[in-house]
Amino acid sequence: MRRAVCPGSFDPVTNGHLDIVGRASRLFDEVIVGVLVNQSKSGLFTVDERIDMLREVTASYDNVRVESFRGLLVDFCRTQEASVLIKGLRAVSDFDYELQMAQMNIGLAGVETLFMPTNPLYSFISSSLIKDVAKWGGDISAHVPDRVRAELEARIGPESRR
């Protein structure tokens, strides 16, 4: 079975993330969306909330599942019996960092990294930018699933600051 991991913090998941997951699901028998548990960072959404949103918005893919992990990504890949990582690249600046990570991962555990260029429609989207726009009442509906938009507006939208 060809199995791949799409890792990230997904705080929150965007349409750019979903584009990569959907495209990966056509290339692999199974895709595991790995949600990083990072104790040193406090996200806007808890890991459980992110997993819940991801499971809902990826439910249409029969071969995608969502799991959390902590520690080394290559250890998570090993426990999931996945030998490939899928990473979306928005710009050349992403490549500089991701290349170093890919080289470390192949050296540590023989885990390959497949880089997928982001669809130009989503090349400027990041979770941080989405949170900032939502905070100031901007329209994020074209950039995130409806469920995520509603959660963001409830948590940090202009009405929540009143």
Side-chain angles (χ1 to χ4, degrees):
M1 175 179 274
R2 294 174 311 144
R3 185 176 290 143
V5 171
C6 285
S9 58
F10 305 101
D11 188 36
V13 62
T14 69
N15 289 344
H17 293 128
L18 293 177
D19 175 60
I20 297 296
V21 170
R23 289 164 52 203
S25 76
R26 294 190 301 270
L27 298 173
F28 292 90
D29 299 318
E30 184 177 31
V31 174
I32 303 146
V33 177
V35 180
L36 173 65
V37 176
N38 188 343
Q39 307 268 346
S40 64
K41 278 177 130 177
S42 62
L44 177 63
F45 295 103
T46 68
V47 171
D48 289 339
E49 289 170 326
R50 287 181 260 160
I51 288 171
D52 184 54
M53 285 188 276
L54 276 159
R55 285 184 176 152
E56 180 179 318
V57 301
T58 61
S60 63
Y61 301 109
D62 293 336
N63 63 337
V64 172
R65 66 182 161 95
V66 181
E67 305 289 341
S68 66
F69 74 96
R70 56 175 37 96
L72 290 177
L73 178 54
V74 293
D75 290 340
F76 177 69
C77 290
R78 192 176 295 120
T79 64
Q80 300 300 314
E81 299 179 358
S83 59
V84 177
L85 291 168
I86 305 293
K87 294 298 206 100
L89 297 178
R90 293 172 296 190
V92 173
S93 56
D94 288 346
F95 181 74
D96 288 340
Y97 173 75
E98 293 296 348
L99 179 61
Q100 291 176 345
M101 296 294 290
Q103 291 169 331
M104 180 61 80
N105 290 337
I106 192 91
L108 285 173
V111 175
E112 295 287 353
T113 301
L114 174 64
F115 296 118
M116 293 183 110
T118 303
N119 181 320
L121 293 172
Y122 311 120
S123 63
F124 62 92
I125 298 173
S126 70
S127 295
S128 298
L129 183 58
I130 292 297
K131 288 184 280 195
D132 201 37
V133 171
K135 175 180 162 186
W136 298 107
D139 182 9
I140 58 170
S141 59
H143 310 300
V144 296
D146 289 340
R147 161 85 189 277
V148 174
R149 180 195 47 75
E151 297 280 350
L152 276 167
E153 288 174 355
R155 179 92 33 115
I156 63 171
E159 291 81 26
S160 69
R161 292 194 309 267
R162 291 184 186 154

